[in-house]
Amino acid sequence: MQEFLLLDLPAGTILVLVVVAFVAGCARGFSGFGGALIFVPVASSLVGAKLAVPLLLIVDLVLTPGLIPNAWRNADRANVGVMALGAAVGVPTGTYLLTQLDGVVIRWAIVAIVVALLALLMSGWRYHGRPHATMTAAVGMTSGLFSGAAQVGGPPVVAYWLGGAFLPQTVRANIVLYFAISSVLSIVSYLIAGLLTLETVGLSLTIGPTFALGLYIGSCLFSRANEATFRRICYGLIATAAIVGLPALDGVLR
């Protein structure tokens, strides 16, 4: 089976990736973000950033279209469109950094970005200014840069939209719709950069089912669970993933 899926990884490594994919899917389905913050640091420590980052992109892009119809109805589509224009600049730039930097340097950068963005989210800081087009596009460009380099572009977008006069349903819908567009931009950039390989596709077939299950459970919890409590749990998981993903701890999960 491993040969069929073009995988040359220990069974234990694949098992850890499957479990982490499930947890990441739960976070993504519930809040519209957070999956990459959980998955990428751990997966990068196991298979390297240049495989882990496009791996999550493929899985997320294939499995999240079911969230889009509802997001399209509830989103502020004009605001999302302006932010996507900024991402169109940021994503290719981040992709270039992913292809040019050393693998260990990328992993340290991913951990640093994740910790910084997690601190931003946990601080409770929100942008309370008027969401004008220039600021929206700038946030999109920043998010696109982080997405292209590591698929961790969620926190700048979340902090920006949560500070506006939007209902929670609109914020979540904006996030889902924006990242659907951002993912398409990333796919194009990764194809041009040669980051989407047969090995990536094979591994995506392995972790995809558990990510899908987590996505479904997370989506169900959105309407039933206490959001504040769940987000605190997500923050803890993200922090744990960042620690486990430290290059200095290589060998712990292998």
Side-chain angles (χ1 to χ4, degrees):
M1 184 64 175
Q2 284 187 330
E3 290 77 9
F4 173 73
L5 295 175
L6 301 176
L7 303 180
D8 186 23
L9 297 171
T13 296
I14 295 176
L15 177 61
V16 173
L17 289 174
V18 166
V19 172
V20 175
F22 171 75
V23 177
C26 287
R28 176 75 164 91
F30 181 85
S31 63
F33 81 103
L37 292 171
I38 293 171
F39 182 83
V40 171
V42 177
S44 294
S45 74
L46 295 171
V47 298
K50 292 179 182 178
L51 177 57
V53 173
L55 169 62
L56 181 67
L57 174 63
I58 292 176
V59 173
D60 193 53
L61 185 64
V62 170
L63 294 176
T64 55
L67 302 175
I68 294 176
N70 187 58
W72 179 264
R73 288 190 295 269
N74 294 312
D76 181 340
R77 294 192 289 272
N79 205 251
V80 171
V82 172
M83 187 167 287
L85 288 176
V89 176
V91 168
T93 304
T95 301
Y96 177 79
L97 294 176
L98 177 61
T99 59
Q100 297 301 311
L101 294 178
D102 176 76
V104 175
V105 172
I106 293 172
R107 287 176 52 205
W108 276 113
I110 288 173
V111 171
I113 291 170
V114 168
V115 170
L117 296 181
L118 176 60
L120 174 65
L121 288 174
M122 294 182 67
S123 71
W125 181 88
R126 301 292 183 261
Y127 174 74
H128 295 289
R130 189 173 182 177
H132 53 81
T134 302
M135 178 63 73
T136 302
V139 172
M141 185 168 63
T142 303
S143 170
L145 178 67
F146 291 166
S147 291
Q151 291 302 304
V152 291
V157 173
V158 174
Y160 180 66
W161 271 327
L162 281 180
F166 295 112
L167 295 173
Q169 293 83 354
T170 303
V171 172
R172 182 176 181 271
N174 283 358
I175 293 169
V176 170
L177 188 57
Y178 165 74
F179 279 108
I181 299 171
S182 175
S183 293
V184 173
L185 294 172
S186 293
I187 284 288
V188 174
S189 293
Y190 286 8
L191 280 172
I192 295 173
L195 290 171
L196 298 180
T197 64
L198 290 176
E199 184 182 14
T200 309
V201 174
L203 192 52
S204 71
L205 294 175
T206 302
I207 72 166
T210 55
F211 186 88
L213 178 61
L215 197 68
Y216 172 75
I217 292 174
S219 297
C220 293
L221 288 174
F222 177 70
S223 60
R224 300 177 185 177
N226 181 293
E227 184 173 356
T229 299
F230 189 84
R231 289 207 177 194
R232 283 195 292 269
I233 293 173
C234 281
Y235 295 159
L237 291 172
I238 292 168
T240 301
I243 294 171
V244 173
L246 287 169
L249 299 181
D250 278 359
V252 173
L253 294 177
R254 289 187 174 89

